Amino acid sequence: MGVDVLEMSRRRHGELVVVSLAGEMDLDNVSQVRECLNEAAATPEPRLVVDLSALTFIDTTGLGVLVRVLASLRDRNGTMALVAPDGQVLRRLRRTNLAPLFPIYDTLSQALA
């Protein structure tokens, strides 16, 4: 049985804040994700890396949160990159034409380089 709950962690890496998500991101937990990302971005000119490599599922509400947080960051001269190796999450980003909005990396080490 796979992970069907969402696990979130947040840590600082130099000037970047890395938010890692594992499990499923959907309507049931999207408000918690929004709150976590907003807290991580609560600095002037925030720079976020959202690691989605352990995310097994994301629905349209989850995609919407990523887009809204990105827009908020850009309003404050911030940035947000995603770690989304080939899989369901990256396919969903591409299928919805949202992938071009974000710098997307295969690994966290590439995003932090």
Coordinates of all heavy atoms in Angstrom, one line a residue, residues 55-92:
L55 N 6.1 12.9 -4.2 CA 4.6 13.1 -4.4 C 4.1 12.0 -5.4 O 4.6 11.9 -6.5 CB 4.3 14.5 -4.9 CG 3.0 15.1 -4.5 CD1 2.8 15.3 -3.0 CD2 2.8 16.4 -5.2
T56 N 3.1 11.3 -5.0 CA 2.6 10.2 -5.8 C 1.4 10.7 -6.6 O 1.0 10.0 -7.5 CB 2.3 9.0 -5.0 OG1 1.3 9.3 -3.9 CG2 3.5 8.4 -4.4
F57 N 0.7 11.8 -6.1 CA -0.5 12.2 -6.8 C -0.7 13.7 -6.5 O -0.4 14.2 -5.4 CB -1.7 11.5 -6.2 CG -3.0 12.0 -6.8 CD1 -3.4 11.6 -8.1 CD2 -3.8 12.8 -6.1 CE1 -4.6 12.0 -8.6 CE2 -5.0 13.3 -6.6 CZ -5.4 12.9 -7.9
I58 N -1.1 14.4 -7.5 CA -1.5 15.9 -7.3 C -2.7 16.1 -8.2 O -2.8 15.7 -9.3 CB -0.3 16.8 -7.7 CG1 -0.7 18.3 -7.3 CG2 0.0 16.7 -9.2 CD1 0.5 19.2 -7.4
D59 N -3.8 16.7 -7.6 CA -5.0 17.0 -8.3 C -4.9 18.5 -8.8 O -4.0 19.2 -8.5 CB -6.2 16.6 -7.6 CG -6.5 17.5 -6.4 OD1 -5.7 18.5 -6.1 OD2 -7.5 17.2 -5.6
T60 N -6.0 18.9 -9.4 CA -6.0 20.3 -9.9 C -6.0 21.3 -8.8 O -5.5 22.4 -9.0 CB -7.3 20.5 -10.8 OG1 -8.5 20.2 -10.0 CG2 -7.2 19.7 -12.0
T61 N -6.5 21.0 -7.6 CA -6.4 22.0 -6.5 C -5.0 22.2 -6.1 O -4.6 23.3 -5.7 CB -7.3 21.6 -5.3 OG1 -6.9 20.3 -4.8 CG2 -8.8 21.6 -5.7
G62 N -4.2 21.1 -6.1 CA -2.8 21.2 -5.7 C -2.0 22.0 -6.8 O -1.2 22.8 -6.4
L63 N -2.3 21.7 -8.0 CA -1.7 22.5 -9.1 C -2.0 24.0 -8.9 O -1.2 24.9 -9.1 CB -2.1 22.0 -10.5 CG -1.7 20.6 -10.9 CD1 -2.4 20.2 -12.1 CD2 -0.2 20.5 -11.0
G64 N -3.3 24.3 -8.6 CA -3.7 25.7 -8.4 C -2.9 26.4 -7.3 O -2.6 27.5 -7.4
V65 N -2.7 25.6 -6.2 CA -1.9 26.2 -5.1 C -0.5 26.6 -5.6 O 0.0 27.7 -5.3 CB -1.9 25.3 -3.9 CG1 -0.8 25.7 -2.9 CG2 -3.2 25.3 -3.2
L66 N 0.1 25.7 -6.3 CA 1.5 26.0 -6.8 C 1.5 27.2 -7.7 O 2.4 28.1 -7.5 CB 2.0 24.8 -7.6 CG 2.3 23.5 -6.8 CD1 2.7 22.4 -7.8 CD2 3.3 23.7 -5.7
V67 N 0.5 27.4 -8.5 CA 0.4 28.5 -9.4 C 0.2 29.8 -8.6 O 0.8 30.9 -8.8 CB -0.6 28.3 -10.5 CG1 -0.9 29.6 -11.3 CG2 -0.2 27.2 -11.4
R68 N -0.7 29.7 -7.6 CA -1.0 30.9 -6.8 C 0.1 31.4 -6.0 O 0.4 32.6 -5.8 CB -2.3 30.7 -6.0 CG -3.6 30.8 -6.8 CD -4.8 30.9 -5.9 NE -5.1 29.6 -5.2 CZ -5.6 28.5 -5.8 NH1 -5.9 28.5 -7.1 NH2 -5.8 27.4 -5.1
V69 N 0.9 30.4 -5.4 CA 2.0 30.7 -4.6 C 3.1 31.3 -5.5 O 3.7 32.3 -5.1 CB 2.6 29.5 -3.8 CG1 3.9 29.8 -3.2 CG2 1.6 29.1 -2.8
L70 N 3.3 30.8 -6.7 CA 4.3 31.3 -7.6 C 3.9 32.8 -8.0 O 4.8 33.7 -8.0 CB 4.3 30.5 -8.9 CG 5.2 31.0 -10.0 CD1 6.7 31.1 -9.6 CD2 5.0 30.2 -11.3
A71 N 2.7 33.1 -8.3 CA 2.2 34.4 -8.6 C 2.5 35.4 -7.4 O 3.0 36.5 -7.6 CB 0.8 34.5 -8.9
S72 N 2.2 34.9 -6.2 CA 2.5 35.7 -5.0 C 4.0 36.0 -4.8 O 4.4 37.1 -4.5 CB 2.0 35.0 -3.8 OG 2.4 35.7 -2.6
L73 N 4.8 35.0 -5.1 CA 6.3 35.2 -5.0 C 6.8 36.2 -6.0 O 7.6 37.0 -5.7 CB 7.0 33.8 -5.2 CG 6.8 32.8 -4.0 CD1 7.3 31.5 -4.5 CD2 7.5 33.3 -2.8
R74 N 6.3 36.0 -7.2 CA 6.7 36.9 -8.3 C 6.4 38.4 -8.0 O 7.1 39.3 -8.3 CB 6.2 36.5 -9.6 CG 6.8 35.3 -10.2 CD 6.3 34.9 -11.5 NE 7.0 33.8 -12.1 CZ 6.7 33.1 -13.1 NH1 5.5 33.4 -13.8 NH2 7.4 32.1 -13.6
D75 N 5.2 38.6 -7.3 CA 4.8 39.9 -6.9 C 5.8 40.6 -5.9 O 5.9 41.8 -5.8 CB 3.4 40.0 -6.3 CG 2.3 39.8 -7.3 OD1 2.6 39.9 -8.5 OD2 1.2 39.4 -6.9
R76 N 6.6 39.7 -5.2 CA 7.5 40.2 -4.2 C 9.0 39.9 -4.7 O 9.9 39.7 -3.8 CB 7.3 39.5 -2.9 CG 5.9 39.9 -2.3 CD 5.6 39.3 -1.0 NE 5.4 37.8 -1.1 CZ 5.9 36.9 -0.3 NH1 6.7 37.3 0.6 NH2 5.6 35.6 -0.5
N77 N 9.2 39.8 -6.0 CA 10.5 39.5 -6.5 C 11.1 38.1 -6.0 O 12.3 38.0 -5.9 CB 11.5 40.6 -6.3 CG 11.1 41.9 -7.0 OD1 10.7 41.8 -8.1 ND2 11.2 43.0 -6.3
G78 N 10.2 37.2 -5.7 CA 10.6 35.9 -5.3 C 10.6 34.9 -6.5 O 10.2 35.2 -7.6
T79 N 11.1 33.7 -6.2 CA 11.2 32.7 -7.2 C 10.7 31.3 -6.6 O 10.8 31.2 -5.4 CB 12.6 32.5 -7.8 OG1 13.5 32.0 -6.7 CG2 13.1 33.7 -8.4
M80 N 10.3 30.4 -7.4 CA 10.0 29.1 -7.0 C 10.3 28.1 -8.1 O 9.9 28.3 -9.2 CB 8.5 29.0 -6.7 CG 8.1 27.6 -6.2 SD 6.4 27.5 -5.4 CE 5.4 27.4 -6.8
A81 N 11.1 27.1 -7.7 CA 11.5 26.0 -8.7 C 10.9 24.8 -8.1 O 10.6 24.6 -6.9 CB 13.0 25.9 -8.7
L82 N 10.7 23.8 -9.0 CA 10.1 22.5 -8.6 C 11.1 21.4 -8.9 O 11.8 21.5 -9.9 CB 8.8 22.2 -9.4 CG 7.7 23.3 -9.4 CD1 6.5 22.8 -10.2 CD2 7.2 23.5 -7.9
V83 N 11.1 20.4 -8.1 CA 11.8 19.2 -8.3 C 10.7 18.1 -8.7 O 9.9 17.8 -7.8 CB 12.6 18.7 -7.1 CG1 13.3 17.4 -7.4 CG2 13.7 19.7 -6.8
A84 N 10.7 17.7 -9.9 CA 9.6 16.8 -10.4 C 10.2 15.9 -11.4 O 10.2 16.1 -12.6 CB 8.4 17.6 -10.9
P85 N 10.8 14.8 -11.0 CA 11.4 13.8 -12.0 C 10.2 13.2 -12.8 O 9.1 13.3 -12.4 CB 12.1 12.8 -11.1 CG 11.5 12.9 -9.7 CD 11.0 14.3 -9.6
D86 N 10.6 12.6 -13.8 CA 9.6 12.0 -14.7 C 8.6 11.1 -13.9 O 9.0 10.2 -13.1 CB 10.2 11.2 -15.8 CG 9.3 10.9 -16.9 OD1 8.4 11.7 -17.2 OD2 9.4 9.8 -17.6
G87 N 7.3 11.3 -14.0 CA 6.3 10.6 -13.3 C 5.0 11.3 -13.4 O 4.8 12.2 -14.2
Q88 N 4.1 10.9 -12.5 CA 2.7 11.4 -12.6 C 2.6 12.9 -12.4 O 1.9 13.6 -13.1 CB 1.8 10.7 -11.5 CG 0.4 10.9 -11.6 CD -0.1 12.1 -10.8 OE1 0.6 12.7 -10.0 NE2 -1.3 12.6 -11.1
V89 N 3.4 13.4 -11.5 CA 3.3 14.9 -11.2 C 3.8 15.7 -12.4 O 3.2 16.6 -12.8 CB 4.1 15.2 -9.9 CG1 4.2 16.7 -9.7 CG2 3.5 14.5 -8.7
L90 N 4.9 15.3 -13.0 CA 5.5 16.0 -14.1 C 4.5 15.9 -15.3 O 4.3 16.9 -16.0 CB 6.9 15.5 -14.5 CG 7.6 16.2 -15.6 CD1 7.7 17.7 -15.3 CD2 8.9 15.6 -15.9
R91 N 4.0 14.7 -15.5 CA 3.0 14.5 -16.6 C 1.8 15.5 -16.4 O 1.3 16.1 -17.4 CB 2.5 13.1 -16.7 CG 3.6 12.2 -17.4 CD 3.0 10.8 -17.7 NE 2.4 10.1 -16.6 CZ 3.1 9.3 -15.7 NH1 4.4 9.2 -15.9 NH2 2.5 8.7 -14.8
R92 N 1.3 15.6 -15.2 CA 0.2 16.4 -14.9 C 0.5 17.9 -15.2 O -0.3 18.6 -15.7 CB -0.3 16.2 -13.5 CG -1.4 17.0 -13.0 CD -2.8 16.6 -13.3 NE -3.1 15.2 -13.3 CZ -3.9 14.5 -12.5 NH1 -4.5 15.1 -11.5 NH2 -4.2 13.3 -12.7

